Every structure is written in structure tokens, then in C-alpha cells.
Amino acid sequence: MCGIIGYCGPRQAAPILLDGLKRLEYRGYDSAGISVGINHELTVIKQTGKIHDLRVHVPAEIAGTYGIGHTRWATHGGVTNTNAHPHVDNSGKIAIVHNGIIENYTAIKKKLEEKGVEFFTETDSEVIAHLIAQNYTGDLEKAMKDTLPVLEGTYGIVCMHADEPHKLVGARNGSPLVIGVANDEMFLASDVTAILAHTKQVVYLEDGHVVTITDDEFTIVDMSDRVVNKKIDEITWDLQEIEKGDFKHFMHKEIYEQPESVVRAFRGRIDREAATARLGGLNLNSRELLDIERIKIIAAGTSFHAGLVASYMIEQTARVPCSAELASEVRYRNPIVERNTLYFAVSQSGETADTLYAMRELQRKGARVLGICNVVGSTIPRESDGGVYIHSGPEIAVASTKAFTSQITALYLFCLVMARMRHMSFESGEWYIRNLTDIPDKIAEIFNTADKMQVIAKKYCSFTDFLFLGRGINYPVALEGALKLKEISYIHAEGYSAAEIKHGPIALINEETPSVFLVPDDRLREKVVSNMKEVKARRGPLIAIATEGDMEILDIADDVFFVPKVPELFYPFIMVVPLQLLAYFCAVELKRDVDQPRNLAKSVTVE
Ligand code: M6R
């Protein structure tokens, strides 16, 4: 949830660190800090607020050609300048930045205090600086290695020493660190976005490995001091993908990227001659695929909603029982792993702690878990038994949009594989592919009338409670619409199956509670129309997302946003986009911090 960057090279470190932190801001952003070294001294500057707030406190003349930086999302200790990273030891010579949580920090702190160490912060992370100092005998890498066995919990750590200039030492356990390799300069970061402006050559560090970087080389060793040779990977993203371009917000840009990101999720994976999909990363042969009797999807937040959508499609089309569950619930209920059950861990970031820990628990019980992830090299794909990258490109806005439609695309491709192996005919396979590959154009059509949603948002954004209602495969889309609205506009919203409102939520309906109905022209349309009339009878304002040409809805709802017609099971792609736009325009209207809403972080690496 926090972000790390480190730099060693010929250039002044501070601007590079600040620029990297700016790009990491989306991960966690209540405070930030940097430490740069020169002439056997470290200068540490920390500040609550945004990177802009830190930047104004960094003197223009600050000198130092190696350094570390951090954006913090507070877990242990309040949001204060002191609690921000980097943390230093009592000599002021060692500085560290840390992502993760040191679970046994209280015991470590007590022991260190008994030895006379003075603590300045309320954080768990500060113990790392003091432990390294205690273990330091002139070799920072050795001090780091002697420190790690004492730490319980998760960490990505980078440290520097004033007396070992142009050297950074990093280590990871459950929190990502990547090495950036450039000409005569090296980087360490928690996320490639921080260093993409400088290099596309990266090495992903593994848990249990310690890396030392200098200006021109990196060395990785394991805890037994064996040198680890790792290949350098090339990042396929371009810098412009992590910049807003002509858009004011990343979220807006990412909503508009969906026609392209959906294509990226299916490109190269469709076998038209066999009317099926080819997903090499599944690591399952035909026999194993045929033996699957049940599919379970675990995920959190928006990824969970994508999993729910896919569960409808997979059951109805592949006729294989499929369910989606919140990963946070799976982990602690001692899940039963049955034979011939295939699990999917769905996660944009690939780092979500709830999903990762649930996946590990399932794997311990013998489950085969495949990942559906976006961030290449992240922990879930690395630890899963195979999977599919969705290739959405970087998703920077905290509110997930393009990842949702791409996750569904990947799971729909898997559904096609399963269905074609079972009962689906060649012709039906062709029909399915045609409809899936038509989706990008249908999404693009929605943007032609986006201004209508802006008008709707203006009209309704001052209401404080919303209901989002849908049925069948659009029920999870209603959940997603409510999540989007609340997370970026801070308007209270609930998602329900439209059928469920009569079992309770209808008590909330009055002139002050708008309902957003998803009412495509599918099998359940008449039922949803009845539910709309029930709300209308109680004077609840009605917004409908309906299929173009459905004129009856105009008479029932106060405001209607029309979407293109698609077959029933493909509507989630088409229904979710207006809801993303509604949330976006409401948040803009209310002058919210669209890309970095309060209290949230892009990747939730704590439980
Ligand atoms: O990276 P993940 O897909 O695993 O993240 C899961 C949730 O934290 C995430 O979807 C969250 O709900 C988003 N803020 C939703 O917009």
C-alpha cells in the first residue's frame, strides 16, 4: 500500500526520488519522505500530505547522488511527519524505508530499549533501522542479512548508510521489490511505475533474497549467501501509459481505455479455426481440463465482482458449477478443498493480501489455484499454479475500471475453452467469439453519449444515498456500480439484486433515495420493470440503464441512459461502463480526489 524508490548513480537523487514518489502516490499517500546521502551524511526530509507537500520542503540545493524515498499509508502510528519514512537509527547514519508490517515489533522494540536505543516514532518499521544499526560492523549487506531472521511479518525494505556511499541494500518477504537497471545507474522500487521514466530493464526480487545495488551493478544473494543469477526482464509498458495524456484524471482515461484493454485481454488467445480459446498459461492439459467438476473464484472488491459475473457465465455456458467468494472469508473458514475443483485467484495488482493468503491456504490444502492478474511479476502470478495475465496496462486510479472488464474477458475465454470441450458446438463457439470480440466496439459506442451521463450525474450527485439494482448476471454489476460510487464520491450506495428490495431495502425508498436500475432487454427484463414500478410507486427517483430502443423504460424512469444491444450474458461489459461514468462524473462534480480517494490505496497489502 506504500511505495518505495531508491537510486544510485551520477545524478542528483532528490528530483529522481520525488518524481518516482509522485508516480507511486496512487499506492498510498498520507505522507512521504526521502533520504539522500553525501559526504558521509544523510539528509532526511519527511512530510505529511501529498508529494507536492513534501516537494516544497525539499531545498533546491539539496545534494546527494544516492538515496531512498517512500510514500506511506499509515498502519502503525498516526499520520505525522515523524511517523513518515525514512526512519533512521540513533547515529543518524542509517536510513530505511519499509513496506509491509513487522508483526513482532513490540517485542523487538522492548529489547532494543533495554539496550538503550531511543525510539522516535510510533511505527513498527523503525525497529528495522535500529536492528540494522545493532548488527552493523562496516558491511551494510551483512547487517541486513543478520537483521532479517529477527523480523516476523511482511517486508520490502531498502536501506542506506552514510559511510557506504552509492550503495543501497534491499530485501523482500511478501512485499514486492524490483531492481531497475540502466546505464551507470541503478534503481530499487516497489513498483515499476516509479522507474519507468528511467529504464525498462528490470529484475524482480524474490522473497528471501537480498539485493545490493551500486551505480553500475546489482548483486542478489540468498540467506545462505549464495549468489542468485536472475534474468533481466523488459517492461512492455510505455511511459505514456502511466501518464494522463489529455485526460484530467487517470480514472477517466482508464474508463476510455476499455475498448483497447479488452482487445489486449483476448488478443492472440482466440483460435477461430477451432472456435475456442488458447490459454497457454493455465498449465492444464485437455484431460485435466475435462476432469474439472467445479470452479471457485476468490477475490476482493472489484475483482470479486468480476468473479461473480464470470460465475454466471461459466455455469450457464460451460455447465460447470462455479461460485465466487470473498478471499478474506475463504481464508479463515478452513475451506474444504474437493477433488477436481479448480480455483482462480483474481487480482488486478496480484498483491492483495486477502487474496494472496487465501490462495496460499488453498494451496496448502492441495488446491490448484490459477491467477487472473494484471501486474506482471506480482506475487499472485508468481505463486499460483498457472494463470492468465489480463494485459490491461497499468491501472493507476484507485478505483478499478479497465481491470474489471479485462478480468471478465479472461474468464470468458476460459469459459469458452471449458464449454467447447464439453457440449458447445462449433457454431456456438463461433457465435460466442463473435460476440466477445464485438464488445470493444460496443463499449466505444457508449462513449458517444457519455455527456448524457454527465448531465445525470449533475442532477443526482447531491443525494446522499443510492441503490444499485440488477438481476441475474447484472446483479454483480449493480454491486460494482455501488462500490464505484461510494469509493470515489463518498456517497453512500448499496448494490442489490433487484428482486431483493422487497425483502427489506424498499423501506429506504422515498424522494431522497435514487435507484439505479440495470434493465437490459434480457429474460429478466419484465421482472426488473416490475421492481422499478414498485420503487416508482413509492416516489423513489429512478435512473435506468436500458437497451437502446426500449422506449417503455422512458415512461417509467426519470432518466434513462441507453446502451447498445448485446446477448444477455455479455451485458456486464456494457452495463458497467455507464456506472463507471456515473461515479466518475459525480466525484468530479463534488470535487473529490478522483484518483486518490480518501483512506484508500491501490493495492491492499494488509489484511
Ligand atoms: O488488486 P486487486 O484486484 O486484488 O484489488 C482488490 C480490491 O482491493 C480492489 O478491487 C478495490 O476494491 C478497488 N478499489 C475497487 O475499485
Side-chain angles (χ1 to χ4, degrees):
M1 306 178 81
C2 308
I4 287 176
I5 178 161
Y7 173 77
C8 275
R11 295 188 277 163
Q12 288 302 324
I16 294 170
L17 298 176
L18 288 168
D19 179 54
L21 292 180
K22 183 78 197 144
R23 295 190 189 278
L24 286 173
E25 215 176 15
Y26 75 106
R27 297 184 62 90
Y29 36 82
D30 54 42
S31 50
I34 60 168
S35 165
V36 295
I38 195 163
N39 299 333
H40 298 270
E41 267 186 29
L42 302 185
T43 308
V44 179
I45 301 166
K46 315 198 278 189
Q47 186 60 43
T48 58
K50 300 268 185 187
I51 301 309
H52 168 76
D53 301 302
L54 173 65
R55 206 184 280 272
V56 296
H57 283 85
V58 176
E61 65 281 5
I62 189 171
T65 45
Y66 74 113
I68 55 180
H70 189 265
T71 53
R72 177 173 188 247
W73 188 89
T75 56
H76 294 62
V79 180
T80 63
N81 290 349
T82 316
N83 285 340
H85 300 217
H87 298 299
V88 290
D89 75 317
N90 284 171
S91 72
K93 295 247 172 191
I94 295 169
I96 69 103
V97 287
H98 165 230
N99 285 358
I101 289 179
I102 304 303
E103 286 161 4
N104 59 338
Y105 82 100
T106 317
I108 299 173
K109 184 172 178 178
K110 190 161 175 277
K111 279 195 194 144
L112 289 169
E113 279 175 333
E114 282 163 9
K115 289 185 183 170
V117 173
E118 200 180 345
F119 277 77
F120 298 100
T121 79
E122 304 156 330
T123 68
D124 54 329
S125 310
E126 188 184 351
V127 295
I128 302 169
H130 298 305
L131 277 175
I132 292 174
Q134 297 275 308
N135 291 322
Y136 188 74
T137 52
D139 179 347
L140 191 58
E141 184 184 298
K142 182 173 180 311
M144 173 74 101
K145 276 185 287 193
D146 290 344
T147 297
L148 298 179
V150 182
L151 304 177
E152 289 170 19
T154 53
Y155 50 78
I157 305 169
V158 181
C159 69
M160 64 191 293
H161 198 297
D163 294 336
E164 294 191 60
H166 286 260
K167 180 193 277 187
L168 302 179
V169 180
R172 69 159 277 173
N173 180 41
S175 197
L177 266 190
V178 61
I179 307 157
V181 182
N183 284 340
D184 299 329
E185 52 186 6
M186 294 276 163
F187 301 82
L188 275 175
S190 53
D191 182 327
V192 292
T193 53
I195 54 176
L196 196 54
H198 310 287
T199 181
K200 287 186 162 190
Q201 311 284 313
V202 298
V203 178
Y204 295 99
L205 200 66
E206 305 283 338
D207 281 353
H209 290 171
V210 175
V211 59
T212 303
I213 64 165
T214 58
D215 289 2
D216 48 13
E217 61 176 16
F218 69 91
T219 323
I220 304 173
V221 294
D222 64 17
M223 291 302 284
S224 311
D225 250 340
R226 281 182 297 247
V227 173
V228 179
N229 291 310
K230 294 250 340 179
K231 77 172 189 4
I232 297 180
D233 286 313
E234 171 97 15
I235 302 170
T236 52
W237 299 345
D238 286 326
L239 194 56
Q240 70 188 44
E241 292 188 65
I242 57 167
E243 287 176 346
K244 284 185 231 162
D246 293 336
F247 290 88
K248 192 157 176 235
H249 300 103
F250 279 110
M251 183 182 177
H252 202 199
K253 175 175 178 246
E254 287 159 9
I255 292 172
Y256 273 73
E257 279 173 353
Q258 290 177 105
E260 172 58 22
S261 56
V262 168
V263 171
R264 285 201 222 171
F266 66 62
R267 186 180 286 147
R269 289 169 166 166
I270 288 173
D271 180 345
R272 287 180 194 273
E273 276 186 21
T276 189
R278 299 262 170 250
L279 298 169
L282 298 180
N283 297 337
L284 291 164
N285 62 34
S286 312
R287 186 78 257 158
E288 290 167 319
L289 284 167
L290 211 49
D291 282 345
I292 294 167
E293 291 171 0
R294 211 168 292 97
I295 295 161
K296 293 195 174 176
I297 300 169
I298 57 162
T302 291
S303 300
F304 168 64
H305 299 153
L308 272 177
V309 167
S311 72
Y312 281 79
M313 179 55 124
I314 291 170
E315 279 207 354
Q316 289 186 39
T317 304
R319 304 303 295 155
V320 178
C322 180
S323 57
E325 278 184 78
L326 288 170
S328 51
E329 291 300 314
V330 170
R331 182 184 179 197
Y332 288 106
R333 67 175 222 212
N334 198 6
I336 298 166
V337 172
E338 293 170 289
R339 281 183 192 288
N340 297 336
T341 301
L342 180 67
Y343 287 83
F344 280 102
V346 183
S347 172
Q348 187 283 132
S349 62
E351 301 291 348
T352 299
D354 289 326
T355 311
L356 176 63
Y357 298 158
M359 175 176 99
R360 286 179 181 159
E361 179 62 11
L362 290 165
Q363 286 175 318
R364 267 191 289 272
K365 289 174 180 288
R368 188 196 286 259
V369 188
L370 305 182
I372 302 282
C373 296
N374 189 32
V375 179
V376 175
S378 56
T379 309
I380 291 174
R382 285 194 296 108
E383 292 193 15
S384 62
D385 303 292
V388 181
Y389 278 118
I390 60 173
H391 297 308
S392 300
E395 194 182 62
I396 307 286
V398 163
S400 186
T401 53
K402 62 177 178 173
F404 178 78
T405 40
S406 295
Q407 287 162 342
I408 298 175
T409 306
L411 287 163
Y412 273 30
L413 290 175
F414 175 74
C415 174
L416 174 62
V417 173
M418 295 291 280
R420 284 285 290 129
M421 292 187 81
R422 290 167 170 77
H423 55 82
M424 187 189 264
S425 67
F426 180 85
E427 289 71 25
S428 299
E430 283 187 314
W431 175 90
Y432 188 103
I433 290 171
R434 208 167 37 248
N435 283 294
L436 186 60
T437 52
D438 274 354
I439 290 297
D441 287 344
K442 303 276 182 189
I443 294 177
E445 270 181 54
I446 295 171
F447 299 141
N448 295 335
T449 53
D451 52 335
K452 292 204 171 126
M453 191 49 95
Q454 192 165 11
V455 173
I456 294 175
K458 270 198 174 121
K459 179 171 165 189
Y460 290 94
C461 67
S462 54
F463 287 88
T464 53
D465 299 280
F466 275 70
L467 289 179
F468 283 76
L469 303 157
R471 291 200 66 173
I473 198 162
N474 293 303
Y475 158 54
V477 182
L479 298 181
E480 176 61 7
L483 175 64
K484 283 289 88 79
L485 188 68
K486 62 187 138 193
E487 71 180 330
I488 59 163
S489 70
Y490 317 149
I491 298 172
H492 172 240
E494 299 282 348
Y496 275 100
S497 158
E500 277 293 302
I501 52 168
K502 58 185 178 289
H503 299 296
I506 201 160
L508 296 171
I509 300 296
N510 60 19
E511 298 90 331
E512 300 300 317
T513 314
S515 297
V516 183
F517 271 92
L518 306 180
V519 56
D521 60 348
D522 62 8
R523 272 177 310 139
L524 293 165
R525 180 189 172 279
E526 297 313 317
K527 309 257 178 223
V528 179
V529 166
S530 300
N531 300 141
M532 289 174 73
K533 288 181 177 165
E534 287 154 16
V535 169
K536 195 177 170 77
R538 287 157 184 86
R539 297 190 303 281
L542 279 179
I543 304 164
I545 317 293
T547 308
E548 59 199 0
D550 189 344
M551 293 308 165
E552 192 200 354
I553 301 298
L554 283 173
D555 295 333
I556 305 169
D558 298 294
D559 290 279
V560 183
F561 186 90
F562 286 114
V563 293
K565 184 172 173 57
V566 294
E568 179 166 331
L569 292 171
F570 292 86
Y571 266 114
F573 289 107
I574 303 304
M575 286 282 152
V576 77
V577 175
L579 302 189
Q580 295 168 346
L581 289 170
L582 175 65
Y584 173 74
F585 288 130
C586 283
V588 170
E589 199 59 35
L590 294 169
K591 303 202 175 1
R592 306 295 192 223
D593 190 344
V594 174
D595 286 334
Q596 295 165 7
R598 70 183 179 206
N599 305 338
L600 294 175
K602 184 63 185 164
S603 106
V604 185
T605 52
V606 294
E607 278 195 274

